[in-house]
Amino acid sequence: DSGVTQTPKHLITATGQRVTLRCSPRSGDLSVYWYQQSLDQGLQFLIQYYNGEERAKGNILERFSAQQFPDLHSELNLSSLELGDSALYFCASSVDSASSYNSPLHFGNGTRLTVT
Amino acid sequence: AQSVTQPDIHITVSEGASLELRCNYSYGATPYLFWYVQSPGQGLQLLLKYFSGDTLVQGIKGFEAEFKRSQSSFNLRKPSVHWSDAAEYFCAVAGYAGKSTFGDGTTLTVKP
C-alpha cells in the first residue's frame, strides 16, 4: 500500500460531461502529481502541486484543471469530456521540499475513466 | 529536454532465467533515475533509485540497476526471475520541479 488514495476507482460518463477525480497524498507528502496513462500516449505528466501551489505543468489540456487544498488533498477536474479522454488517471505524491525536487513518487491505484 | 527510451516493448523470459531491461536517458545534468513496476490494475511502485554515488544500486524484490554515464543507460537486472515478476516496468528520469519523465514501459512475460 503506497498510502496514496484515489477515488473513485472507476468512472463511466458521457461525452460533454464534467467529472472530478480526488486524491489524498501520503501522510507528510507536500507534492501531488497527476498523470494520465493511455495505450497510445503512455504515461503523461499533467500537473504538479506543492503545498497548495501549482509547481509544474505538463501536457494538460485547457479543459482540465486541478487544485490542491489546505489539507493537501488534490482534485483533478475534467470537463467537456471527449472519447479520447478515456484513460487511467494516476495521482502520485512525494516528499519534495522547497529545495529538493527529485524524491521518488508514490502512486495511487488510479481512477479508470471511460467516456462513452 | 529530458527523455527516456526503453527500447524493448515486450520481453519474455523463462522462470529462473536472468533478466535485463534496458533504459537510455537524455538529461543535461546529473540525472536522478528510477525504476518503477506496475502490476495489472495497480499503480506504479518504486523498485529502486539512483541519485549519486555507487553506480550499482540495489532495490526491492531482488532487482538491481547499473548507472553508466558514458552510455546514458540505467539498465535493470535480476539474476533469477519469478513468475510474480510479470508486470510492466518503467524507467524514469527526474529533473526540474520533480517532473519525472517516464519511458513507454517494457512488459515482462514470464514463461513457466
Side-chain angles (χ1 to χ4, degrees):
Chain A
D1 182 11
S2 68
V4 178
T5 304
Q6 287 188 251
T7 57
K9 289 185 180 179
H10 302 277
L11 205 46
I12 301 174
T13 190
T15 54
Q17 294 300 303
R18 172 190 170 94
V19 297
T20 297
L21 282 53
R22 183 188 168 101
C23 169
S24 294
R26 229 170 43 131
S27 177
D29 285 356
L30 297 179
S31 274
V32 169
Y33 304 74
W34 287 98
Y35 282 83
Q36 179 194 57
Q37 187 179 40
S38 61
L39 284 175
D40 55 341
Q41 296 282 330
L43 199 59
Q44 297 287 317
F45 168 72
L46 296 179
I47 198 164
Q48 180 205 359
Y49 280 82
Y50 173 76
N51 203 21
E53 300 285 329
E54 182 184 305
R55 187 181 242 188
K57 216 170 205 180
N59 302 322
I60 189 165
L61 300 172
E62 294 267 340
R63 302 182 284 109
F64 295 1
S65 65
Q67 55 184 325
Q68 186 179 28
F69 295 87
D71 67 352
L72 300 178
H73 91 270
S74 177
E75 292 180 356
L76 179 66
N77 300 296
L78 315 176
S79 61
S80 303
L81 285 167
E82 302 174 359
L83 295 178
D85 297 327
S86 296
L88 199 51
Y89 290 84
F90 284 109
C91 170
S93 71
S94 72
V95 295
D96 284 347
S97 69
S99 58
S100 169
Y101 305 117
N102 303 303
S103 303
L105 301 180
H106 301 271
F107 283 80
N109 285 337
T111 293
R112 181 168 295 283
L113 173 66
T114 303
V115 183
T116 61
Chain B
Q2 60 198 54
S3 66
V4 175
T5 301
Q6 293 181 245
D8 305 304
I9 297 174
H10 196 172
I11 281 186
T12 299
V13 300
S14 297
E15 190 166 17
S18 64
L19 171 70
E20 182 168 33
L21 302 182
R22 295 183 291 164
C23 171
N24 293 98
Y25 68 90
S26 173
Y27 186 66
T30 301
Y32 292 75
L33 295 161
F34 308 87
W35 274 100
Y36 293 84
V37 60
Q38 183 181 24
S39 298
Q42 303 288 317
L44 282 70
Q45 179 187 18
L46 179 71
L47 281 177
L48 47 79
K49 60 184 185 284
Y50 171 78
F51 285 173
S52 64
D54 194 349
T55 56
L56 186 64
V57 293
Q58 302 297 321
I60 62 171
K61 305 184 181 187
F63 285 92
E64 66 178 27
E66 185 171 14
F67 171 63
K68 292 186 178 179
R69 184 186 300 275
S70 62
Q71 298 177 19
S72 297
S73 69
F74 188 58
N75 295 348
L76 181 71
R77 302 195 294 247
K78 186 169 185 179
S80 177
V81 169
H82 187 262
W83 63 266
S84 61
D85 293 324
E88 189 162 17
Y89 292 80
F90 292 90
C91 181
V93 61
Y96 173 72
K99 182 176 82 72
S100 291
T101 298
F102 288 80
D104 289 336
T106 297
T107 299
L108 173 65
T109 298
V110 180
K111 290 191 306 184

